[in-house]
Amino acid sequence: MILRLKNQTLGKINLTRSYLSSLVFRRDSHSHDRRRRGYERDVGIEEKKEHDGLFLCKSKGQHLLTNTRILDAIVRSSDVRPTDTVLEIGPGTGNLTMKLLEAAQNVVAVELDKRMVEILRKRVSDHGFADKLTIIQKDVLKTEFPPFDLVVANIPYNISSPLVAKLVYGSNTFRSATLLLQKEFSRRLLANPGDSDFNRLAVNVKLVADVKFVMDVSKREFVPPPKVDSSVVMITPKEIIPDVNVQEWLAFTRTCFGKKNKTLGSMFRQKKKVMELLSLSAGRNGSKVGVMNQTCGDSDSDVEEDGDGKDDLLCLDTDANMFKERVIGILRSNGFEEKRPSKLSHSELLHLLSLFNHAGIFFHDIRSSPMDLHE
């Protein structure tokens, strides 16, 4: 009796073990199948990328926008006319290009990557648009643009600032530029005086153009997805721009917005800044440092200089002190001493620059020529 019960119990245990083992086997088999199917799917994607030449380099900003609805919205918002020539920068494989070719008379696409050029050329030819597209295979920052009416582009993030500078301060005239940019960069571009994001980039671009927000675009809409979201903005050149020397303005804003939340008075009291402006201003006025101070003696005299240079140092220090007092005097007498650059409007900044220049105080070294909008 006891033996029979023991055998029955062992039989049930073995049956349970077999059942559990079969469950584990089935689970492992399903997991293996899923992993295998996932691997095969991934391999298929990689093969497709290799076949289509779509190995994209994130460091070069190669992120392709694939959402057709968003592409259509960008073209609509840019107001492309049937008679327009559109400049596209970084067309990639042509997702946006195809939309533009349908709406415009011509498209000029600037693309550096030879692989992308080949894919784009074939794609456009297959759709019968070859005669409407001109491809320039060069670095966009080193390329002279042919005439165009509009710019519509998903531009690489790493060249956003110099490219915007080239467009708004360049020689080409155009109606507007609709650009897909990094969201943070767009917010800085859209900022106004008093905003926490207001910066040198915004003040320089908005001197010559108006900037309007169009829409945000999630990073999930790109292949491969970038690390951050994007925004579309429209930049429209102003019909009338201030009469100001561009290089002097850019150098002036570089000085003011280096510490945009400091008061102008404290900024221009710094010895390093005073000496820098003194040297620039003296050079622009056709003098050497030291001549501005009459107590240093007649520059045309035949008196020999002291070999140890102490008189030169005294002269330089005296000049610097006098120069600083002149700068602070301009700020104080015109109500700018306690103001901060981040709070000033364009008209206030232009007025201050004019006051400085009329007093013989300059910010631009005429020997240099780089045009940067922000550091």
Side-chain angles (χ1 to χ4, degrees):
M1 181 70 172
I2 294 174
L3 182 61
R4 188 167 62 251
L5 289 174
K6 182 178 180 181
N7 290 336
Q8 290 176 353
T9 301
L10 289 174
K12 290 180 180 180
I13 291 173
N14 291 332
L15 181 62
T16 301
R17 285 176 175 173
S18 299
Y19 175 71
L20 292 174
S21 297
S22 66
L23 288 179
V24 172
F25 175 78
R26 285 200 297 271
R27 184 193 64 189
D28 290 343
S29 297
H30 290 322
S31 298
H32 175 73
D33 289 341
R34 283 196 299 271
R35 287 195 297 270
R36 185 182 63 187
R37 287 195 299 270
Y39 170 77
E40 291 172 350
R41 183 169 62 251
D42 291 341
V43 169
I45 290 174
E46 291 302 318
E47 287 176 351
K48 184 175 185 297
K49 284 183 179 180
E50 183 176 5
H51 175 73
D52 292 340
L54 292 178
F55 288 106
L56 304 175
C57 182
K58 289 186 177 182
S59 63
K60 295 181 180 179
Q62 293 180 333
H63 301 279
L64 305 183
L65 179 61
T66 57
N67 189 311
T68 302
R69 177 180 57 81
I70 296 175
L71 291 168
D72 288 335
I74 291 174
V75 175
R76 281 197 307 272
S77 65
S78 62
D79 189 27
V80 181
R81 301 170 187 172
T83 56
D84 283 338
T85 294
V86 179
L87 175 67
E88 185 185 8
I89 298 158
T93 58
N95 293 339
L96 180 58
T97 315
M98 299 304 298
K99 302 288 184 182
L100 294 172
L101 287 169
E102 293 173 359
Q105 183 176 40
N106 296 291
V107 174
V108 176
V110 184
E111 174 60 63
L112 183 61
D113 193 326
K114 181 181 179 181
R115 303 168 307 150
M116 300 294 181
V117 169
E118 293 173 352
I119 295 170
L120 178 61
R121 202 184 300 278
K122 182 178 185 306
R123 183 175 181 183
V124 169
S125 179
D126 290 346
H127 286 80
F129 287 129
D131 59 333
K132 298 178 67 175
L133 177 67
T134 300
I135 300 176
I136 301 175
Q137 189 183 336
K138 291 182 179 179
D139 183 339
V140 67
L141 298 179
K142 301 176 182 178
T143 302
E144 288 190 15
F145 299 139
F148 60 90
D149 301 294
L150 295 175
V151 184
V152 184
N154 168 23
I155 66 176
Y157 292 161
N158 58 343
I159 63 168
S160 296
S161 182
L163 182 55
V164 169
K166 182 172 182 174
L167 290 174
V168 299
Y169 283 100
S171 58
N172 292 85
T173 58
F174 58 95
R175 199 163 71 246
S176 66
T178 303
L179 305 177
L180 183 58
L181 303 163
Q182 184 177 348
K183 187 173 182 178
E184 180 184 354
F185 184 88
S186 300
R187 292 296 181 267
R188 295 175 58 233
L189 197 58
L190 290 159
N192 294 309
D195 294 344
S196 59
D197 289 334
F198 190 56
N199 58 92
R200 184 170 173 247
L201 171 71
V203 79
N204 285 335
V205 171
K206 291 185 176 182
L207 178 74
V208 296
D210 295 315
V211 185
K212 182 179 73 172
F213 171 78
V214 178
M215 63 180 174
D216 288 327
V217 179
S218 170
K219 58 188 175 184
R220 295 189 297 273
E221 308 296 348
F222 296 85
V223 176
K227 294 181 179 180
V228 296
D229 292 329
S230 302
S231 295
V232 179
V233 301
M234 178 180 284
I235 301 174
T236 306
K238 293 180 177 179
E239 293 184 4
I240 301 176
I241 60 175
D243 183 16
V244 63
N245 181 286
V246 170
Q247 295 290 3
E248 181 69 12
W249 166 263
L250 294 177
F252 171 65
T253 58
R254 185 188 304 116
T255 296
C256 291
F257 282 82
K259 299 289 184 180
K260 66 176 184 176
N261 292 316
K262 293 187 68 171
T263 64
L264 290 166
S266 63
M267 184 184 305
F268 284 102
R269 282 187 174 90
Q270 297 176 13
K271 184 174 182 179
K272 181 179 179 181
K273 179 56 61 180
V274 170
M275 297 303 296
E276 178 185 339
L277 291 180
L278 174 58
S279 177
L280 286 171
S281 301
R284 290 285 293 272
N285 288 314
S287 306
K288 294 182 178 180
V289 175
V291 175
M292 296 174 64
N293 177 18
Q294 298 301 320
T295 63
C296 289
D298 186 352
S299 60
D300 295 328
S301 67
D302 295 328
V303 178
E304 294 184 2
E305 297 180 358
D306 190 346
D308 60 9
K310 289 183 180 180
D311 289 344
D312 291 337
L313 291 175
L314 177 61
C315 181
L316 186 61
D317 286 341
T318 305
D319 275 347
N321 288 331
M322 292 178 64
F323 185 81
K324 181 174 72 173
E325 289 304 317
R326 191 194 323 177
V327 171
I328 298 303
I330 291 172
L331 294 174
R332 183 178 298 133
S333 60
N334 292 278
F336 286 105
E337 186 178 11
E338 297 302 320
K339 291 189 176 181
R340 306 174 193 278
S342 59
K343 309 291 184 182
L344 297 180
S345 66
H346 279 90
S347 59
E348 290 174 309
L349 288 167
L350 286 165
H351 179 52
L352 178 57
L353 177 58
S354 176
L355 292 171
F356 279 139
N357 287 169
H358 284 144
I361 301 168
F362 296 94
F363 296 80
H364 170 55
D365 184 350
I366 58 177
R367 295 167 298 178
S368 62
S369 59
M371 182 181 291
D372 65 316
L373 296 191
H374 80 295
E375 307 257 277

